[in-house]
Amino acid sequence: MRQDLNLFVELCDYLLQEEQKNPVARPVETSELFQKLDLSLNDFGVVDQDLVSNLKSIIKYTPKTASTAFFNQLFGGRVSKATLGDLLAVMLNNSMYTYKVAGPHVGIEKEIINNIIQLSGYPKDSSGTLAAGGSMTNFMALLMARDQKSPEVRAEGLNKTMTLYTSEASHYSISKNAVLSGIGKNNVRLVKTNEKGEMDAAHLEQLVKKDMQAGHTPFFVNATAGTTVLGGFDDITSISKICKTYNLWLHVDGAYCGSVIFSERYKYLVNGLELSDSFSLNAHKMLGTPLGCSIIITKHKAQLHHSFSNEADYLYQTDSDDFNLGKISLQCGRRNDALKLWTLWKSIGKKGLEKIVDHQFELAEYARAYISNHPDYSLYSFDDSISVCFNYRDIPANLLCTALYKEAELMVGFGRFRDTEFVRMVTINTVLKKEDILNFFQTIEAFVSKDLLKSSLPEA
Ligand SMILES: *Cc1c(COP(=O)(O)O)cnc(C)c1O
């Protein structure tokens, strides 16, 4: 093992150099991938020296999500202490289902959950767990809501039309989870949004009433804290009123921006969070831990257990249910995703996490100011969002983003709201500084003025 740890350090050194030298890896055409790189698996193995050079060429052509040119997704960067924790989790290789196998890591997970419960304003006897990602924690919320409304479904399957509500701007996992849970895609009601992509609560109520009149069973509302494109926040308080009136489970999907709970300045964006029934957030987005680290908490501790417990005497042989986390988990064997967040939190404190979150809003504000002061740009974003959406000189966003990627200049994606397509620059990458934001815009301007855009477009 020691020898491989040395190889590992050598490969990491190489990666860190590449990130500096080539912040955007030159993309390999899919048609050339298997020629350009030796990815073949053969009857006989290779010696370490060949393996290392093989891995180095793979590293070279791997997109660099921790470089200062990565603005493409709702994650990015590398927070060193969190990475340390995750590397340690790989070495320890525990599974989180029982205390017998996970030991102190059960306590680590519980400590994280309890702190998030407190920061969210939930009662002390709330509960929670981690799952493989935000899609999965949203799935858990939906299943708890379904089982609470119709406990017979667990044994008999669905025998009536149950309807759920989420905004047009919400994440696709809500509809996908409706399919997976047997609710059905046609029973997902998309609630209209305002111009910031926030749910229209009056429309929500209309839809719920209509379904009740039709004899359906409304059961679940998903509110979003940080919509995937515009980074908008649904008004939890007004949505909660409707949920209370019609007895609906309210989940807050904070996968993208739920981590504002760590910020004194920005936690107002999730005002009313304590009124919800469940809340999920991805530490691998705003907090910058390695993928994945998705947490869900709920006020309904018994429901979490009812929906996910299982009897398995080959597994649960010691200790109480409270310490055998497999009883409240979607998975059986489960990776230790808690340690990386704990290591980070332990080393920089809640105050340090707050700084990470606040910095992203500051960078976004800086970016919006740049755009507003520059006549060649049009801005589509608003204050207190870390998604900065804009167009430059009427260049179609998809052409600009694709050309920047093909020419290895910048990694940035495009999004759409209603009829407008725009560049969506995300300031979530934890390694970014103001100068990187400035560099981002200057790179685009230089790229366009050199006419590089034209040369990378298909010939007319
Ligand atoms: C990213 C995201 C998800 C999905 O999270 P994964 O960890 O990628 O599965 C869900 N909801 C929102 C609002 C998101 O931004």
Side-chain angles (χ1 to χ4, degrees), residues 74 132-138 169-174 222 224-229 253-257 280 282 284-285 291-294 424:
L74 306 183
S135 301
M136 292 294 104
T137 43
N138 284 344
S170 67
H171 190 258
Y172 74 83
S173 59
I174 308 299
N222 173 70
T224 310
T227 57
T228 307
V229 175
D253 173 6
Y256 182 14
C257 296
S280 55
N282 280 356
H284 68 254
K285 286 187 173 170
L291 283 154
C293 189
S294 188
R424 183 194 61 170

Side-chain angles (χ1 to χ4, degrees), residues 5-17:
L5 285 178
N6 291 338
L7 291 181
F8 178 72
V9 172
E10 184 185 335
L11 290 169
C12 288
D13 279 338
Y14 178 72
L15 169 60
L16 295 178
Q17 279 168 31

Side-chain angles (χ1 to χ4, degrees), residues 15-222:
L15 169 60
L16 295 178
Q17 279 168 31
E18 275 296 308
E19 272 171 11
Q20 294 283 327
K21 265 198 328 214
N22 302 305
V24 181
R26 201 151 271 287
V28 182
E29 292 287 343
T30 51
S31 58
E32 289 173 5
L33 178 61
F34 293 94
Q35 284 84 54
K36 190 136 193 167
L37 292 170
D38 177 12
L39 306 178
S40 66
L41 293 170
N42 308 305
D43 286 350
F44 297 98
V46 297
V47 296
D48 276 358
Q49 211 180 352
D50 292 346
L51 182 65
V52 167
S53 69
N54 214 236
L55 288 169
K56 279 188 180 167
S57 60
I58 291 169
I59 290 169
K60 184 177 169 67
Y61 288 105
T62 299
K64 300 299 181 296
T65 62
S67 89
T68 54
F70 187 79
F71 298 83
N72 202 70
Q73 230 79 48
L74 306 183
F75 73 95
R78 184 181 298 112
V79 182
S80 163
K81 283 292 191 290
T83 305
L84 171 72
D86 210 15
L87 291 171
L88 192 56
V90 171
M91 290 296 286
L92 292 167
N93 199 31
N94 298 102
S95 180
M96 297 304 291
Y97 39 38
T98 61
Y99 186 73
K100 188 178 180 185
V101 170
H105 298 275
V106 170
I108 282 173
E109 185 161 310
K110 279 172 157 303
E111 181 68 12
I112 288 174
I113 298 286
N114 286 335
N115 273 278
I116 289 177
I117 282 169
Q118 200 201 339
L119 289 169
S120 306
Y122 273 32
K124 260 202 155 73
D125 62 350
S126 302
S127 182
T129 184
L130 280 79
S135 301
M136 292 294 104
T137 43
N138 284 344
F139 188 43
M140 294 185 81
L142 193 156
L143 293 175
M144 285 190 282
R146 183 198 66 183
D147 297 349
Q148 190 193 56
K149 180 65 93 181
S150 307
E152 76 286 356
V153 170
R154 275 176 55 83
E156 294 160 21
L158 273 174
N159 57 7
K160 62 185 165 205
T161 300
M162 298 182 75
T163 51
L164 69 87
Y165 308 81
T166 191
S167 89
E168 290 169 346
S170 67
H171 190 258
Y172 74 83
S173 59
I174 308 299
S175 294
K176 183 172 167 177
N177 291 337
V179 175
L180 299 177
S181 58
I183 297 298
K185 209 171 188 148
N186 294 346
N187 299 318
V188 176
R189 305 287 182 252
L190 293 182
V191 186
K192 283 190 212 148
T193 59
N194 64 14
E195 69 292 344
K196 291 166 85 180
E198 300 163 349
M199 187 188 287
D200 174 349
H203 187 229
L204 167 66
E205 183 161 26
Q206 278 171 23
L207 290 172
V208 172
K209 276 187 176 163
K210 200 170 148 206
D211 280 322
M212 291 177 79
Q213 278 156 12
H216 301 332
T217 309
F219 73 105
F220 178 74
V221 178
N222 173 70

Side-chain angles (χ1 to χ4, degrees), residues 274-295:
E274 70 285 356
L275 303 168
S276 62
D277 297 285
S278 57
F279 168 53
S280 55
L281 70 162
N282 280 356
H284 68 254
K285 286 187 173 170
M286 274 193 132
L287 299 183
T289 71
L291 283 154
C293 189
S294 188
I295 300 141

Side-chain angles (χ1 to χ4, degrees), residues 172-395:
Y172 74 83
S173 59
I174 308 299
S175 294
K176 183 172 167 177
N177 291 337
V179 175
L180 299 177
S181 58
I183 297 298
K185 209 171 188 148
N186 294 346
N187 299 318
V188 176
R189 305 287 182 252
L190 293 182
V191 186
K192 283 190 212 148
T193 59
N194 64 14
E195 69 292 344
K196 291 166 85 180
E198 300 163 349
M199 187 188 287
D200 174 349
H203 187 229
L204 167 66
E205 183 161 26
Q206 278 171 23
L207 290 172
V208 172
K209 276 187 176 163
K210 200 170 148 206
D211 280 322
M212 291 177 79
Q213 278 156 12
H216 301 332
T217 309
F219 73 105
F220 178 74
V221 178
N222 173 70
T224 310
T227 57
T228 307
V229 175
L230 284 177
F233 289 79
D234 289 341
D235 177 356
I236 300 171
T237 309
S238 63
I239 294 169
S240 158
K241 281 194 192 116
I242 295 160
C243 292
K244 293 272 187 300
T245 307
Y246 299 95
N247 193 22
L248 312 173
W249 182 291
L250 174 57
H251 174 64
V252 176
D253 173 6
Y256 182 14
C257 296
S259 297
V260 294
I261 57 168
F262 290 96
S263 166
E264 288 305 318
R265 179 148 177 218
Y266 294 101
K267 69 181 181 192
Y268 86 91
L269 291 164
V270 289
N271 271 349
L273 181 60
E274 70 285 356
L275 303 168
S276 62
D277 297 285
S278 57
F279 168 53
S280 55
L281 70 162
N282 280 356
H284 68 254
K285 286 187 173 170
M286 274 193 132
L287 299 183
T289 71
L291 283 154
C293 189
S294 188
I295 300 141
I296 179 168
I297 59 167
T298 176
K299 282 176 186 167
H300 309 281
K301 183 174 178 172
Q303 190 59 55
L304 182 63
H305 191 267
H306 285 325
S307 288
F308 298 100
S309 68
N310 49 81
E311 297 307 323
D313 39 13
Y314 53 82
L315 188 59
Y316 305 110
Q317 299 178 339
T318 60
D319 310 295
S320 71
D321 274 11
D322 240 13
F323 280 78
N324 286 330
L325 301 179
K327 295 264 176 140
I328 52 169
S329 171
L330 188 63
Q331 296 146 265
C332 175
R334 182 160 62 88
R335 202 180 178 280
N336 179 359
D337 288 330
L339 183 58
K340 55 192 153 194
L341 177 54
W342 186 88
T343 314
L344 175 64
W345 197 333
K346 186 77 178 169
S347 67
I348 65 175
K350 187 203 152 218
K351 288 282 167 211
L353 298 179
E354 175 175 39
K355 265 196 196 141
I356 291 179
V357 170
D358 286 359
H359 181 61
Q360 291 161 30
F361 283 101
E362 273 162 40
L363 291 181
E365 204 172 314
Y366 184 73
R368 281 191 304 271
Y370 184 93
I371 291 169
S372 305
N373 289 327
H374 209 298
D376 285 342
Y377 290 86
S378 30
L379 179 67
Y380 303 97
S381 306
F382 37 82
D383 286 355
D384 293 356
S385 158
I386 62 165
S387 293
V388 182
C389 302
F390 68 90
N391 276 318
Y392 180 61
R393 287 212 210 158
D394 297 328
I395 300 168

